[in-house]
Amino acid sequence: MQRNGGGVGVGGQPWMFRRVRLTWLSFMLFFILVFFPLIAHYYLTTIDEAGDRDKHIFGPRPGGELCEAKHVQDLCRIRESVSEELLQLEAKRQELNGEIARLNLRIEACKRSIDSAKQDLLQLKNVISQTEHSYKELMAQNQPKLSLPVRLLPDKEDPGLPPPKSPRSCRLRSCFDYARCPLTSGFPVYVYDTDSYPWGSYIDPLVKQAFVASVKSNIYVTNNPNIACLYLVLVGELQESPSFPLPSPSELEKQLKALPYWRSDGHNHVLVHLSRKSMTQNFLYNVSTGRAAVAQSTFLEQQYREGFDLVVSPLVHALSEPNFLEVPPQVPVKRKYLFTFQGERVESLRSSLQEAPPQSFEEEMEGDPPADYDDRIIGTLKAVQDSHLDQVLVEFTCKNPRPSLPTEWALCGEREDRLEVLKASTFALVIAAGDGQLVASAGFGMRLFEALEVGAIPVVLGDHSRLPYHQFIRWSEAAILVPKPRVTELHFLLRSLSDNDMLAMRRQGRFLWETYFSTSENVLNTILASIRTSIQVPAAPIKEEPVHEIPHKAGKLAGTDANLADNGDLDLGPVETEPPYASPRFLRNFTYTAADTYRSWNRAPGPFHLFPHTPLDPVLPSEAKFLGSGTGFRPIGGGTGGSGKEFQAALGGNVPREQFTVVMLTYEREEVLMNSLERLNGLPYLNKVVVVWNSPKPPSDDLLWPDIGLPIVVVRTEKNSLNNRFLPWDAVETEAILSIDDDAHLRHDEIMFGFRVWREARDRIVGFPGRYHAWDVNHQSWLYNSNYSCELSMVLTGAAFFHKYYAYLYSYVMPQAIRDMVDEYINCEDIAMNFLVSHITRKPPIKVTSRWTFRCPGCPQALSHDDSHFHERHKCINFFVKVYGYMPLLYTQFRVDSVLFKTRLPHDKTKCFKFI
């Protein structure tokens, strides 16, 4: 017990010392573990922020203070090597970037040099092409042309050709002297004075007066008989008088041989007998005419020489022009009567034929026609009338029959009464004479003339008759030719025809009547054209309108309108502007006359052989070929094809080298005119500008005309007429004409686009402003409409391309009544041109879309802004329809747009279909 107690008391101090020591160690350990990491962390995070480089712990130390260890030294060396390589690579990268920039600059410079070289190359190509064309033209001019054949002119006493075996055997090859009519002679015709031969005083005064008037206006007539190819002698119609009896056949034959240029046999003479009456005596029947051809309306079979003599139409309108207002329209197709016939047999057929034993029907069919054919015709037609299947009118007795030849059906009543019946007839029967020996007669021709005049389709019963000019006219296109034995099938045949066929035949008949029969001038022209075509002599060129130029002085060089110059990326033409280049002249293809004779006589769009040829090529689709310079279109360089760039840079097509002429009509608006002319500066493919000065007051003396680098021809007109716009001026040397108003505002790219479209449709009017016609049901008349429409039938010629050929037709062929109405209203010339082209081609015009900048903003008011303007155009359309006999305008929804144009339409309009 004492040991434990004694131990505690004695050993208590060391125990306390040990306890204090343990506490101090724990405190120190706690301080080291807690505060030392904190102090180290603070020091490490702040030591690199010191400004002195030597205090950086992890940076390179001079003398290698921290690189005492071997592996640390290796790592430092590696770090230093990598740093140096990175610095070198960065310097090399910057050097390469600089080199790339310098190479890019050199590439851009090379590209610019290439573009400049391409432009120079293109210019050189154009210069080479123009030089080649110029070289070819110079070579063509310097090369000797084919010499014309020597023309042999016989003496007055020249006996001529050997006599034919018989007068009946006369043909052109045996009775016509071709040596007097070379291909290049121009077909000169000498006409005998009717007062120079004895029987001239017996000729009907109206016939003589009409013949003389027609001769004066004929372009082939010459006053020099020594160079004449043909000699024309008017021999009738003769009028009988008790005091002046007609000469006997023997006397007439002697008088013919006494003609100064008859030369014993009358070769190259034509005896013309024009009939005004249905009863015309055939007084040349027993007269020996030698080698002279006969042109008359009445022939017997033993008298008529096929291919030599000529059956002509009667002269109904001797001195009067047809009144188109009295001619009925061609529509509706079907009229009141299916067919009509009014006539009376002058003499029984049996009494006119020689007596012969009775024959059976089969025997009669093998020989001459049976004697009772006319009786069978009467019975058949009466049966059709009594059947009441169709409304027909047949009358075989007349109250007042006109005098006619034996066995012929006499005309009934007066001409006015007969025309009224024919106006209500769909078909008109024309029955040939009962005597088969009478192959042509004036009464027969009179019936045919009246039927064609009023639009009744002729139905000719009898295949032995010779219709007028049957060698050249395809009568099956205008009339129905039926042999008499088929009279029982006639009703079925007429009812089987469709409306389209009947309208086509009626239109062709109207064309034949207007062209060959209607006036005395047409009759004479047709006689001469028949002979000229038979001997294959080409027609003479139609005349051009001479230009009486107004002198003017040019001012400063015209600038280019900024609006017109903004054509985007469209290349309008060659880099080098071509000099004025005229279209090739129509030098004459002498094979054309022989190859296309039959078609040209029977084609409704204008007879190329009746009316003289134009100097320029009349390129119409119905020709089936193009006649450019008489050799066809030349493939000069061919089409360019290719991509859009090549297409834009060249005109291309079959005629790559072609230009157009601007014809601008103006009237006392000098400022507007000068602005319009200045806008034409720089227009590619422009040949020249013809300004038709339509005012009697000349331009101002101090007026300065712009210099556009091309000729500006100012034409003085005889009177203020809108028809002057379409005169075939001789200053227009291109086929393409751009007719444009002086206030029209068209961009260059729009004009070039229209020109390209016209070159693809040369027979059409191609223009910008479209109009259409409409039928007014309430007033039963036609209306002119200018409202917006997706359909059109006219293109106004205030901005339109057309072929110069139509200028000839408008001025010289189109009925004068239309031009007179244009002058009366000072309006409608554009409608008249649309009527003419649609009538000829049976095609509508083509509208090309502009950017709606057509009218010049701020220009003075034109005639079209007058309130009466549209009323006059309504009247014009209805009058033109009466003249043509039908509505020739055709509707179309076709419109040609450039892919570079955007159509802008009002918000209340519906978009039309368009063809691009």
Side-chain angles (χ1 to χ4, degrees):
M1 301 257 327
Q2 289 179 352
R3 185 179 181 180
N4 291 340
V8 173
V10 177
Q13 185 176 0
W15 179 79
M16 290 295 294
F17 177 75
R18 288 194 299 270
R19 184 176 182 180
V20 171
R21 189 177 177 182
L22 183 60
T23 302
W24 172 252
L25 290 176
S26 300
F27 175 78
M28 292 298 296
L29 182 63
F30 176 79
F31 178 83
I32 292 172
L33 293 177
V34 175
F35 289 94
F36 183 79
L38 294 175
I39 294 172
H41 176 72
Y42 174 76
Y43 180 79
L44 290 176
T45 54
T46 58
I47 189 168
D48 285 337
E49 296 177 0
D52 190 0
R53 180 181 178 89
D54 296 337
K55 294 182 180 181
H56 283 226
I57 296 177
F58 301 100
R61 299 287 182 176
E65 295 177 358
L66 300 179
C67 297
E68 296 177 355
K70 184 177 181 180
H71 66 282
V72 175
Q73 293 178 358
D74 294 338
L75 292 176
C76 288
R77 285 194 301 270
I78 292 173
R79 181 179 182 279
E80 292 176 356
S81 177
V82 170
S83 299
E84 291 178 358
E85 290 180 0
L86 289 177
L87 292 174
Q88 293 176 1
L89 290 176
E90 178 64 22
K92 187 176 292 186
R93 184 184 68 83
Q94 293 179 359
E95 182 180 356
L96 291 176
N97 286 337
E99 185 67 21
I100 291 174
R102 288 191 297 272
L103 292 176
N104 287 334
L105 293 177
R106 292 184 61 185
I107 290 174
E108 293 297 329
C110 291
K111 286 182 178 181
R112 288 193 297 269
S113 300
I114 292 174
D115 292 339
S116 178
K118 286 182 177 180
Q119 294 292 334
D120 295 340
L121 179 61
L122 183 59
Q123 292 180 7
L124 290 176
K125 287 182 178 179
N126 289 329
V127 171
I128 293 173
S129 177
Q130 294 178 13
T131 305
E132 289 177 352
H133 287 305
S134 302
Y135 174 75
K136 291 179 181 179
E137 292 175 356
L138 291 175
M139 290 295 296
Q141 293 176 2
N142 295 326
Q143 288 177 352
K145 295 183 178 180
L146 180 66
S147 60
L148 299 178
V150 178
R151 187 173 184 184
L152 302 178
L153 299 177
D155 297 333
K156 184 177 180 180
E157 288 77 16
D158 182 20
L161 301 174
K165 294 181 180 180
S166 67
R168 288 276 301 160
S169 63
C170 252
R171 297 295 184 269
L172 285 174
R173 64 179 179 273
S174 59
C175 293
F176 191 87
D177 187 4
Y178 282 86
R180 298 192 64 90
C181 303
L183 295 176
T184 57
S185 63
F187 194 63
V189 177
Y190 178 78
V191 181
Y192 284 92
D193 185 6
T194 55
D195 296 331
S196 63
Y197 41 84
W199 76 89
S201 58
Y202 297 99
I203 299 178
D204 187 339
L206 288 179
V207 174
K208 184 189 300 185
Q209 189 176 355
F211 182 78
V212 172
S214 302
V215 166
K216 289 181 179 179
S217 61
N218 194 278
I219 62 174
Y220 297 107
V221 174
T222 179
N223 294 324
N224 187 359
N226 296 323
I227 65 171
C229 163
L230 196 69
Y231 298 87
L232 222 58
V233 184
L234 180 64
V235 298
E237 181 177 46
L238 301 182
Q239 56 179 0
E240 298 184 21
S241 174
S243 57
F244 296 98
L246 295 178
S248 63
S250 59
E251 292 177 356
L252 184 58
E253 186 175 337
K254 292 180 181 179
Q255 294 175 8
L256 287 175
K257 292 182 179 180
L259 292 175
Y261 307 102
W262 187 261
R263 295 188 181 91
S264 73
D265 58 1
H267 60 272
N268 291 40
H269 278 64
V270 178
L271 307 180
V272 180
H273 185 279
L274 302 177
S275 303
R276 290 186 57 246
K277 304 175 183 177
S278 59
M279 175 66 174
T280 299
Q281 294 296 333
N282 185 11
F283 68 92
L284 290 177
Y285 172 61
N286 292 322
V287 177
S288 176
T289 58
R291 284 193 172 93
V294 178
Q296 61 182 15
S297 301
T298 303
F299 280 102
L300 294 178
E301 185 177 5
Q302 59 268 28
Q303 176 191 10
Y304 180 68
R305 295 168 290 185
E306 186 71 41
F308 190 70
D309 293 331
L310 193 64
V311 179
V312 302
S313 61
L315 186 62
V316 179
H317 298 288
L319 294 176
S320 61
E321 294 287 337
N323 189 354
F324 292 101
L325 297 180
E326 296 180 358
V327 177
Q330 299 184 29
V331 290
V333 177
K334 295 180 179 178
R335 298 176 178 176
K336 178 180 179 180
Y337 298 110
L338 177 63
F339 63 84
T340 60
F341 179 79
Q342 292 177 308
E344 182 176 340
R345 284 186 295 180
V346 177
E347 186 180 338
S348 173
L349 177 64
R350 294 184 183 275
S351 64
S352 65
L353 297 176
Q354 296 180 355
E355 294 294 335
Q359 295 177 329
S360 64
F361 183 79
E362 291 77 7
E363 292 174 340
E364 291 178 342
M365 291 295 293
E366 292 178 358
D368 292 334
D372 59 347
Y373 266 175
D374 284 1
D375 295 334
R376 294 181 184 181
I377 291 175
I378 293 174
T380 302
L381 297 182
K382 284 185 176 180
V384 174
Q385 185 178 23
D386 296 340
S387 66
H388 300 291
L389 295 176
D390 289 293
Q391 193 170 1
V392 299
L393 175 64
V394 289
E395 297 178 354
F396 299 104
T397 58
C398 300
K399 296 181 180 179
N400 184 20
R402 314 302 299 174
S404 298
L405 296 176
T407 74
E408 190 180 21
W409 289 90
L411 296 171
C412 293
E414 300 297 331
R415 167 178 159 81
E416 291 75 15
D417 299 332
R418 297 194 301 269
L419 292 181
E420 289 301 323
V421 174
L422 291 175
K423 289 178 181 179
S425 307
T426 305
F427 298 94
L429 298 187
V430 182
I431 304 177
D435 189 354
Q437 302 297 325
L438 186 61
V439 296
S441 66
F444 180 88
M446 198 78 69
R447 286 185 181 274
L448 185 66
F449 180 95
E450 292 176 353
L452 295 175
E453 181 179 7
V454 297
I457 302 174
V459 180
V460 180
L461 277 176
D463 55 356
H464 66 278
S465 296
R466 301 290 192 273
L467 276 66
Y469 319 111
H470 62 276
Q471 302 99 319
F472 310 100
I473 296 178
R474 188 182 293 113
W475 278 103
S476 59
E477 296 181 355
I480 300 176
L481 311 179
V482 182
K484 286 186 177 182
R486 290 196 180 276
V487 65
T488 56
E489 301 173 287
L490 180 63
H491 186 209
F492 167 78
L493 177 62
L494 298 183
R495 294 201 49 182
S496 64
L497 292 176
S498 65
D499 290 353
N500 290 336
D501 292 338
M502 288 189 290
L503 182 60
M505 297 181 72
R506 183 173 294 168
R507 179 173 176 266
Q508 180 69 7
R510 175 68 177 272
F511 160 72
L512 296 178
W513 176 77
E514 287 184 356
T515 307
Y516 305 123
F517 309 144
S518 58
T519 63
S520 60
E521 183 178 356
N522 288 347
V523 171
L524 178 62
N525 288 339
T526 307
I527 294 174
L528 296 181
S530 301
I531 301 172
R532 179 182 49 76
T533 306
S534 299
I535 63 177
Q536 300 180 356
V537 175
I542 199 169
K543 66 176 182 178
E544 291 189 293
E545 198 69 22
V547 167
H548 301 286
E549 189 172 357
I550 300 177
H552 61 281
K553 51 185 177 181
K556 63 178 182 179
L557 183 65
T560 302
D561 193 336
N563 296 326
L564 301 179
D566 183 18
N567 296 312
D569 297 330
L570 182 61
D571 189 354
L572 299 182
V575 178
E576 292 285 340
T577 303
E578 283 195 323
Y581 174 75
S583 297
R585 306 290 289 181
F586 186 48
L587 300 180
R588 181 70 61 213
N589 183 350
F590 289 99
T591 62
Y592 170 72
T593 304
D596 294 341
T597 295
Y598 205 71
R599 182 180 60 213
S600 63
W601 273 77
N602 295 276
R603 186 186 55 224
F608 284 105
H609 291 272
L610 172 62
F611 296 103
H613 279 288
T614 62
L616 295 179
D617 172 22
V619 184
L620 293 179
S622 54
E623 285 293 326
K625 67 178 181 179
F626 296 106
L627 306 178
S629 297
T631 58
F633 278 149
R634 298 171 294 170
I636 306 175
T640 54
S643 62
K645 184 65 177 177
E646 288 80 2
F647 172 76
Q648 294 173 15
L651 193 58
N654 294 320
V655 189
R657 194 182 188 196
E658 187 175 19
Q659 295 179 345
F660 62 91
T661 303
V662 168
V663 176
M664 186 177 296
L665 188 73
T666 186
Y667 186 88
E668 296 184 0
R669 295 199 294 183
E670 295 180 351
E671 183 179 358
V672 175
L673 174 64
M674 296 303 108
N675 293 334
S676 297
L677 291 176
E678 189 170 357
R679 286 194 294 269
L680 298 177
N681 183 40
L683 179 61
Y685 303 109
L686 178 60
N687 181 271
K688 68 177 63 171
V689 180
V690 176
V691 177
V692 181
W693 191 266
N694 223 23
S695 172
K697 179 181 177 181
S700 304
D701 296 334
D702 56 348
L703 182 62
L704 294 179
W705 296 70
D707 183 7
I708 61 175
L710 292 169
I712 297 179
V713 180
V714 185
V715 180
R716 178 189 290 109
T717 57
E718 296 180 357
K719 63 176 182 178
N720 178 20
S721 173
L722 294 180
N723 293 316
N724 296 331
R725 179 196 297 271
F726 302 125
L727 283 173
W729 303 105
D730 57 3
V732 178
E733 299 177 318
T734 60
E735 295 179 3
I737 295 178
L738 173 58
S739 174
I740 191 168
D741 290 337
D742 57 0
D743 59 351
H745 194 279
L746 291 174
R747 299 163 58 98
H748 287 186
D749 53 344
E750 295 170 347
I751 296 176
M752 286 307 305
F753 179 61
F755 184 47
R756 290 181 181 273
V757 173
W758 177 84
R759 284 166 45 81
E760 300 293 332
R762 306 173 72 92
D763 61 325
R764 316 271 283 274
I765 298 178
V766 177
F768 298 91
R771 300 291 186 267
Y772 69 98
H773 67 289
W775 179 252
D776 187 355
V777 179
N778 296 328
H779 297 87
Q780 293 294 299
S781 62
W782 294 102
L783 295 177
Y784 170 85
N785 203 315
S786 62
N787 294 331
Y788 176 84
S789 173
C790 293
E791 200 169 43
L792 61 100
S793 59
M794 292 175 283
V795 166
L796 302 187
T797 55
F801 285 93
F802 64 89
H803 199 286
K804 187 181 179 182
Y805 178 67
Y806 294 125
Y808 296 99
L809 296 183
Y810 184 97
S811 302
Y812 304 135
V813 179
M814 190 179 68
Q816 181 63 36
I818 296 180
R819 293 190 293 271
D820 292 341
M821 191 169 194
V822 170
D823 289 336
E824 178 183 355
Y825 286 155
I826 317 180
N827 199 345
C828 307
E829 85 287 355
D830 46 0
I831 301 178
M833 177 59 81
N834 278 270
F835 266 71
L836 174 66
V837 177
S838 296
H839 171 67
I840 290 175
T841 62
R842 302 306 301 140
K843 296 178 182 179
I846 296 179
K847 172 181 170 54
V848 292
T849 304
S850 64
R851 297 186 178 180
W852 294 14
T853 59
F854 175 62
R855 283 300 174 189
C856 171
C859 291
Q861 294 293 318
L863 294 174
S864 58
H865 294 84
D866 192 356
D867 293 338
S868 62
H869 175 76
F870 287 96
H871 298 288
E872 293 173 351
R873 294 174 85 81
H874 299 330
K875 296 179 182 178
C876 288
I877 286 185
N878 288 279
F879 179 77
F880 296 166
V881 169
K882 290 182 179 179
V883 173
Y884 283 98
Y886 75 111
M887 170 54 75
L889 297 179
L890 299 173
Y891 293 107
T892 180
Q893 298 178 0
F894 185 86
R895 191 185 76 191
V896 184
D897 288 4
S898 171
V899 294
L900 302 179
F901 293 175
K902 293 182 179 179
T903 303
R904 298 175 296 171
L905 297 176
H907 67 281
D908 58 342
K909 300 297 183 183
T910 304
K911 187 174 183 180
C912 304
F913 292 102
K914 63 180 179 179
F915 301 83
I916 302 177

